[in-house]
Amino acid sequence: MASPMRSLLTNHAKYYESFHCFLANSTEHQCMEEFMERQLPAIIDSIGNGKSTINILSVGSGAGEMDLLILSKVQATYPGVTINNDVVEPSAHQILKYKERVAETSNLKNIKFTWHEETAYEYESRMNAEKKSKKWAFIHTIQMLYYVKDIPATIRYLHSLLEAGGKLLIIVLSGTSSWEVLWKKYASSVPLQNFSTFITSADITRILDSAGLKYQLHELQSYMDITSCFVKGNKEGELLLDFLTQTYDFCNTAPPELKRQFIEELRKPECSEIRDGKVLFNNNLSAIVVES
Ligand SMILES: C[S@@+](CC[C@H](N)C(=O)[O-])C[C@H]1O[C@@H](n2cnc3c(N)ncnc32)[C@H](O)[C@@H]1O
């Protein structure tokens, strides 16, 4: 008998394997890089005015690829200023990769890194227990909010940590992406088991509106090449299907009818377009910049 379906997050090694397969087959990081190059400088141009030290908090940083890009833009905007960059990341493995990346990167001498191996909630609880209320000029949380238990409370907490004039950058999947289409149909068929919530920018802006917070929204165009998902037994395709469903070993544990319907759905024009013989899934993201 096939094993029961379970959340991808029940196996961390498999989660990161499929996340890296997703990164390798999508323009996820490229569209963020474009955003950091073109839009970020204007966003951060007032966070450090007159300060000798700029405090930055990164929540759910993974291996730090985007963090280092953000830091390079802050350095370029405020040459010579000291930067305290604190990282909240629960995965020891990702922190190790982050540290390796820092060790291999030049031009980081004005930056002091502090890594906290904990979740956003553990960080909040520890800060409260230690009665610490450090404030930050810039806080970012990129593709992470799916994994917290109480998204509105986490956003409210992070926002409360901003210095006057500070900014909170949230990057999540866009409400116009095909993830929205998939999740509307299939969220109840896959085993999230309280590990993650299928949300998009449409949900985040509703939360921000009801909290009365001011923000700007930037849309980032992105796609994922899912051609290999249609090749039976293809290892890469199976990892992408795990990531798309956030399910561990989806191909071997999902009921055959669910698997058939899901794969069929991926090909539909609401989800993907065919270009040069490739099936490209709409992976658009939103970058939301919240004011202090
Ligand atoms: C999809 S990855 C994004 C990594 C990185 N920000 C990027 O965009 O490349 C999500 C990250 O959030 C981390 N994470 C998961 N649950 C978290 C939580 N409750 N609090 C903080 N980080 C969390 C994971 O370990 C992982 O590194």
Side-chain angles (χ1 to χ4, degrees), residues 9 15-16 19 23 28-29 32 59-67 88-91 94 118-121 141-144 146-148 243:
L9 278 162
Y15 172 81
Y16 289 108
F19 177 55
L23 288 181
E28 168 97 353
H29 274 178
M32 290 183 198
V59 187
S61 50
E65 295 95 326
M66 291 306 115
D67 289 32
V88 175
E89 165 57 59
S91 160
Q94 292 301 99
E118 55 196 358
T119 63
Y121 183 69
T141 184
I142 301 181
Q143 290 288 56
M144 189 290 287
Y146 319 100
Y147 308 114
V148 301
F243 198 73

Short mmCIF file of all heavy atoms in Angstrom, two decimals, residues 9 15-16 19 23 28-29 32 59-67 88-91 94 118-121 141-144 146-148 243, ligand 1:
data_model
loop_
_atom_site.label_atom_id
_atom_site.label_comp_id
_atom_site.label_asym_id
_atom_site.label_seq_id
_atom_site.Cartn_x
_atom_site.Cartn_y
_atom_site.Cartn_z
N LEU A 9 7.33 19.75 4.43
CA LEU A 9 8.12 20.28 5.55
C LEU A 9 8.37 19.25 6.65
O LEU A 9 9.10 19.53 7.61
CB LEU A 9 7.45 21.52 6.13
CG LEU A 9 7.76 22.79 5.33
CD1 LEU A 9 6.77 23.88 5.64
CD2 LEU A 9 9.17 23.29 5.60
N TYR A 15 12.73 19.10 1.55
CA TYR A 15 12.19 20.43 1.31
C TYR A 15 13.23 21.29 0.58
O TYR A 15 12.94 21.91 -0.44
CB TYR A 15 11.77 21.11 2.64
CG TYR A 15 11.39 22.56 2.44
CD1 TYR A 15 10.12 22.91 1.99
CD2 TYR A 15 12.33 23.58 2.63
CE1 TYR A 15 9.78 24.24 1.76
CE2 TYR A 15 12.00 24.91 2.40
CZ TYR A 15 10.72 25.24 1.97
OH TYR A 15 10.41 26.55 1.72
N TYR A 16 14.48 21.29 1.10
CA TYR A 16 15.50 22.15 0.48
C TYR A 16 15.91 21.62 -0.88
O TYR A 16 16.22 22.40 -1.79
CB TYR A 16 16.70 22.35 1.42
CG TYR A 16 16.30 23.24 2.57
CD1 TYR A 16 16.14 22.73 3.85
CD2 TYR A 16 15.99 24.58 2.35
CE1 TYR A 16 15.71 23.54 4.89
CE2 TYR A 16 15.56 25.39 3.38
CZ TYR A 16 15.43 24.88 4.65
OH TYR A 16 14.99 25.68 5.66
N PHE A 19 13.19 22.86 -3.07
CA PHE A 19 13.27 24.33 -3.18
C PHE A 19 14.40 24.71 -4.14
O PHE A 19 14.23 25.57 -5.01
CB PHE A 19 13.49 24.94 -1.78
CG PHE A 19 13.68 26.44 -1.79
CD1 PHE A 19 12.74 27.29 -2.37
CD2 PHE A 19 14.80 27.01 -1.20
CE1 PHE A 19 12.91 28.67 -2.37
CE2 PHE A 19 14.99 28.40 -1.20
CZ PHE A 19 14.05 29.22 -1.78
N LEU A 23 14.31 26.76 -7.59
CA LEU A 23 15.12 27.95 -7.91
C LEU A 23 15.84 27.77 -9.24
O LEU A 23 15.91 28.69 -10.06
CB LEU A 23 16.15 28.22 -6.80
CG LEU A 23 15.63 28.77 -5.47
CD1 LEU A 23 16.79 29.00 -4.51
CD2 LEU A 23 14.85 30.07 -5.66
N GLU A 28 12.65 32.92 -10.20
CA GLU A 28 12.35 33.45 -8.87
C GLU A 28 13.41 34.45 -8.37
O GLU A 28 13.09 35.58 -8.05
CB GLU A 28 12.26 32.24 -7.91
CG GLU A 28 12.24 32.57 -6.44
CD GLU A 28 10.85 32.61 -5.83
OE1 GLU A 28 9.86 32.50 -6.58
OE2 GLU A 28 10.77 32.77 -4.61
N HIS A 29 14.66 34.01 -8.32
CA HIS A 29 15.69 34.91 -7.80
C HIS A 29 16.05 36.00 -8.81
O HIS A 29 16.34 37.13 -8.42
CB HIS A 29 16.92 34.13 -7.34
CG HIS A 29 16.79 33.62 -5.93
ND1 HIS A 29 17.74 32.86 -5.30
CD2 HIS A 29 15.81 33.80 -4.99
CE1 HIS A 29 17.34 32.59 -4.06
NE2 HIS A 29 16.17 33.13 -3.86
N MET A 32 13.71 38.86 -8.46
CA MET A 32 14.01 39.62 -7.23
C MET A 32 15.27 40.46 -7.43
O MET A 32 15.34 41.61 -6.97
CB MET A 32 14.24 38.66 -6.05
CG MET A 32 13.00 37.95 -5.58
SD MET A 32 13.45 36.94 -4.15
CE MET A 32 12.07 35.82 -4.10
N VAL A 59 14.23 38.00 8.02
CA VAL A 59 13.47 36.92 8.66
C VAL A 59 13.16 35.84 7.62
O VAL A 59 12.47 36.10 6.63
CB VAL A 59 12.17 37.48 9.28
CG1 VAL A 59 11.46 36.39 10.09
CG2 VAL A 59 12.46 38.69 10.16
N GLY A 60 13.71 34.64 7.82
CA GLY A 60 13.51 33.55 6.85
C GLY A 60 14.44 33.73 5.66
O GLY A 60 14.03 33.67 4.50
N SER A 61 15.73 33.94 5.94
CA SER A 61 16.67 34.36 4.90
C SER A 61 17.18 33.23 4.02
O SER A 61 17.83 33.49 3.02
CB SER A 61 17.86 35.02 5.57
OG SER A 61 18.30 34.15 6.59
N GLY A 62 16.93 31.98 4.40
CA GLY A 62 17.49 30.87 3.63
C GLY A 62 19.01 30.97 3.62
O GLY A 62 19.63 31.28 4.65
N ALA A 63 19.62 30.76 2.45
CA ALA A 63 21.09 30.75 2.38
C ALA A 63 21.66 32.15 2.13
O ALA A 63 22.86 32.29 1.87
CB ALA A 63 21.53 29.79 1.28
N GLY A 64 20.82 33.18 2.19
CA GLY A 64 21.31 34.56 2.20
C GLY A 64 21.57 35.20 0.83
O GLY A 64 22.11 36.30 0.78
N GLU A 65 21.15 34.54 -0.25
CA GLU A 65 21.44 35.12 -1.58
C GLU A 65 20.86 36.53 -1.70
O GLU A 65 21.55 37.47 -2.11
CB GLU A 65 20.83 34.27 -2.72
CG GLU A 65 21.39 32.88 -2.87
CD GLU A 65 20.56 31.84 -2.13
OE1 GLU A 65 20.00 32.14 -1.05
OE2 GLU A 65 20.50 30.68 -2.62
N MET A 66 19.58 36.68 -1.35
CA MET A 66 18.93 37.98 -1.49
C MET A 66 19.44 38.96 -0.44
O MET A 66 19.56 40.16 -0.69
CB MET A 66 17.40 37.84 -1.38
CG MET A 66 16.79 37.12 -2.54
SD MET A 66 17.24 37.89 -4.12
CE MET A 66 18.19 36.60 -4.87
N ASP A 67 19.77 38.43 0.76
CA ASP A 67 20.27 39.31 1.82
C ASP A 67 21.53 40.05 1.38
O ASP A 67 21.66 41.25 1.58
CB ASP A 67 20.61 38.48 3.07
CG ASP A 67 19.38 37.95 3.77
OD1 ASP A 67 18.40 37.66 3.07
OD2 ASP A 67 19.41 37.80 5.01
N VAL A 88 17.13 35.88 11.18
CA VAL A 88 16.30 34.92 11.91
C VAL A 88 15.97 33.80 10.94
O VAL A 88 15.25 34.03 9.94
CB VAL A 88 15.00 35.60 12.43
CG1 VAL A 88 14.09 34.59 13.09
CG2 VAL A 88 15.34 36.74 13.38
N GLU A 89 16.53 32.63 11.17
CA GLU A 89 16.36 31.52 10.22
C GLU A 89 16.43 30.21 11.02
O GLU A 89 17.43 29.95 11.68
CB GLU A 89 17.48 31.61 9.15
CG GLU A 89 17.69 30.38 8.30
CD GLU A 89 16.45 29.91 7.53
OE1 GLU A 89 15.91 30.68 6.74
OE2 GLU A 89 16.03 28.77 7.77
N PRO A 90 15.36 29.40 10.98
CA PRO A 90 15.34 28.20 11.83
C PRO A 90 16.20 27.04 11.33
O PRO A 90 16.50 26.12 12.09
CB PRO A 90 13.86 27.78 11.83
CG PRO A 90 13.29 28.39 10.59
CD PRO A 90 14.07 29.62 10.31
N SER A 91 16.63 27.08 10.07
CA SER A 91 17.37 25.93 9.54
C SER A 91 18.88 26.09 9.75
O SER A 91 19.51 27.00 9.18
CB SER A 91 17.07 25.77 8.05
OG SER A 91 18.07 24.99 7.44
N GLN A 94 20.72 26.00 6.44
CA GLN A 94 20.67 27.24 5.65
C GLN A 94 21.61 28.29 6.25
O GLN A 94 22.28 29.01 5.52
CB GLN A 94 19.24 27.79 5.58
CG GLN A 94 18.28 26.93 4.78
CD GLN A 94 18.74 26.74 3.35
OE1 GLN A 94 19.32 25.71 3.01
NE2 GLN A 94 18.51 27.71 2.50
N GLU A 118 16.36 30.33 14.77
CA GLU A 118 15.03 30.21 15.36
C GLU A 118 13.97 30.71 14.38
O GLU A 118 14.28 31.37 13.39
CB GLU A 118 14.95 30.98 16.69
CG GLU A 118 15.33 32.43 16.61
CD GLU A 118 15.63 33.07 17.98
OE1 GLU A 118 15.50 32.42 19.02
OE2 GLU A 118 15.99 34.25 17.97
N THR A 119 12.71 30.39 14.69
CA THR A 119 11.61 30.87 13.85
C THR A 119 11.28 32.30 14.25
O THR A 119 11.73 32.79 15.31
CB THR A 119 10.34 30.01 14.06
OG1 THR A 119 9.93 30.18 15.43
CG2 THR A 119 10.58 28.55 13.76
N ALA A 120 10.44 32.93 13.43
CA ALA A 120 10.03 34.31 13.73
C ALA A 120 9.35 34.34 15.09
O ALA A 120 9.59 35.26 15.90
CB ALA A 120 9.08 34.80 12.64
N TYR A 121 8.52 33.35 15.37
CA TYR A 121 7.79 33.32 16.64
C TYR A 121 8.74 33.11 17.82
O TYR A 121 8.59 33.76 18.86
CB TYR A 121 6.70 32.24 16.59
CG TYR A 121 5.87 32.23 17.84
CD1 TYR A 121 5.00 33.29 18.13
CD2 TYR A 121 6.00 31.20 18.78
CE1 TYR A 121 4.27 33.32 19.30
CE2 TYR A 121 5.26 31.23 19.95
CZ TYR A 121 4.40 32.28 20.21
OH TYR A 121 3.69 32.31 21.38
N THR A 141 11.28 40.14 4.78
CA THR A 141 10.90 38.74 4.90
C THR A 141 10.47 38.28 3.50
O THR A 141 9.51 38.78 2.94
CB THR A 141 9.86 38.54 6.02
OG1 THR A 141 9.60 37.16 6.15
CG2 THR A 141 8.56 39.29 5.82
N ILE A 142 11.29 37.41 2.92
CA ILE A 142 11.14 37.08 1.50
C ILE A 142 10.72 35.62 1.36
O ILE A 142 11.45 34.71 1.79
CB ILE A 142 12.47 37.36 0.75
CG1 ILE A 142 12.84 38.84 0.91
CG2 ILE A 142 12.35 36.96 -0.72
CD1 ILE A 142 14.12 39.27 0.20
N GLN A 143 9.55 35.42 0.82
CA GLN A 143 9.00 34.08 0.57
C GLN A 143 8.99 33.22 1.84
O GLN A 143 9.30 32.03 1.79
CB GLN A 143 9.81 33.37 -0.54
CG GLN A 143 9.60 33.97 -1.91
CD GLN A 143 8.22 33.65 -2.48
OE1 GLN A 143 7.20 33.93 -1.87
NE2 GLN A 143 8.18 33.04 -3.66
N MET A 144 8.62 33.82 2.97
CA MET A 144 8.64 33.10 4.24
C MET A 144 7.29 33.04 4.93
O MET A 144 7.02 32.08 5.65
CB MET A 144 9.69 33.78 5.15
CG MET A 144 10.02 33.07 6.43
SD MET A 144 8.73 33.07 7.68
CE MET A 144 8.76 34.73 8.27
N TYR A 146 4.44 32.09 4.47
CA TYR A 146 3.59 30.88 4.38
C TYR A 146 3.79 29.97 5.60
O TYR A 146 2.94 29.16 5.91
CB TYR A 146 3.96 30.05 3.13
CG TYR A 146 4.23 30.89 1.92
CD1 TYR A 146 5.55 31.18 1.52
CD2 TYR A 146 3.18 31.42 1.18
CE1 TYR A 146 5.80 31.99 0.43
CE2 TYR A 146 3.43 32.22 0.08
CZ TYR A 146 4.75 32.51 -0.29
OH TYR A 146 4.99 33.30 -1.36
N TYR A 147 4.96 30.10 6.23
CA TYR A 147 5.34 29.10 7.23
C TYR A 147 5.10 29.54 8.67
O TYR A 147 5.48 28.82 9.59
CB TYR A 147 6.82 28.72 7.03
CG TYR A 147 7.11 28.31 5.60
CD1 TYR A 147 7.94 29.07 4.78
CD2 TYR A 147 6.50 27.18 5.06
CE1 TYR A 147 8.17 28.70 3.46
CE2 TYR A 147 6.73 26.81 3.74
CZ TYR A 147 7.57 27.58 2.95
OH TYR A 147 7.80 27.22 1.64
N VAL A 148 4.53 30.73 8.87
CA VAL A 148 4.24 31.11 10.26
C VAL A 148 2.79 30.76 10.58
O VAL A 148 1.94 30.72 9.70
CB VAL A 148 4.52 32.62 10.53
CG1 VAL A 148 5.96 32.97 10.23
CG2 VAL A 148 3.57 33.53 9.77
N PHE A 243 7.31 20.49 -4.75
CA PHE A 243 7.30 21.90 -4.34
C PHE A 243 5.95 22.55 -4.64
O PHE A 243 5.41 23.29 -3.82
CB PHE A 243 8.44 22.67 -5.01
CG PHE A 243 8.73 23.95 -4.31
CD1 PHE A 243 9.37 23.97 -3.06
CD2 PHE A 243 8.34 25.16 -4.84
CE1 PHE A 243 9.60 25.15 -2.37
CE2 PHE A 243 8.57 26.36 -4.16
CZ PHE A 243 9.20 26.35 -2.93
C1 LIG B 1 11.19 29.55 0.55
S1 LIG B 1 12.54 29.77 1.63
C2 LIG B 1 13.01 31.44 1.21
C3 LIG B 1 14.45 31.72 1.50
C4 LIG B 1 14.95 33.09 1.05
N1 LIG B 1 14.27 34.18 1.72
C5 LIG B 1 14.82 33.22 -0.46
O1 LIG B 1 13.88 33.87 -0.93
O2 LIG B 1 15.68 32.66 -1.16
C6 LIG B 1 11.76 29.99 3.20
C7 LIG B 1 12.73 30.15 4.35
O3 LIG B 1 11.99 30.46 5.53
C8 LIG B 1 12.50 29.70 6.61
N2 LIG B 1 11.41 29.53 7.59
C9 LIG B 1 10.49 28.55 7.65
N3 LIG B 1 9.66 28.74 8.68
C10 LIG B 1 10.05 29.89 9.28
C11 LIG B 1 9.58 30.62 10.42
N4 LIG B 1 8.52 30.21 11.10
N5 LIG B 1 10.24 31.75 10.78
C12 LIG B 1 11.32 32.17 10.06
N6 LIG B 1 11.80 31.52 8.96
C13 LIG B 1 11.17 30.40 8.58
C14 LIG B 1 12.96 28.39 5.97
O4 LIG B 1 13.91 27.70 6.76
C15 LIG B 1 13.52 28.89 4.65
O5 LIG B 1 14.90 29.18 4.74
#
